Amino acid sequence: MPVKDHPDLARDTQTGMIVNINKDKHRQHLNMVERIKNDKEEISTLKSEVQQMKNMLQKLLENGTNG
């Protein structure tokens, strides 16, 4: 049963749930969610690596002035 003003949605007559019937858009959405998740993980990794480099540089600078 179609949902008014939403051509990509339909109501399941057995359960009453509203489901997405446009498989392509659903797949695109899942791909986008996965890309966002991967981007967030990559940003987190890069932040950690930058912090490690800052710590190493600080130690080098401290050793250079003390040594």
Side-chain angles (χ1 to χ4, degrees):
M1 170 183 288
V3 175
K4 183 180 178 184
D5 298 328
H6 298 279
D8 294 336
L9 303 177
R11 184 173 299 278
D12 184 313
T13 55
Q14 292 181 349
T15 64
M17 291 177 39
I18 294 178
V19 294
N20 187 341
I21 57 174
N22 186 326
K23 300 300 179 193
D24 290 334
K25 282 190 179 181
H26 180 67
R27 194 174 304 110
Q28 287 174 356
H29 175 73
L30 292 178
N31 288 340
M32 181 184 67
V33 168
E34 184 67 23
R35 269 195 313 262
I36 290 170
K37 178 182 168 245
N38 289 341
D39 288 349
K40 286 181 178 183
E41 288 174 359
E42 184 174 0
I43 289 169
S44 178
T45 299
L46 290 170
K47 283 181 175 181
S48 175
E49 290 174 352
V50 167
Q51 187 60 49
Q52 289 174 359
M53 288 188 287
K54 286 169 63 176
N55 291 340
M56 286 188 273
L57 183 58
Q58 184 64 36
K59 285 182 183 178
L60 284 172
L61 292 172
E62 289 171 2
N63 289 341
T65 31
N66 293 333

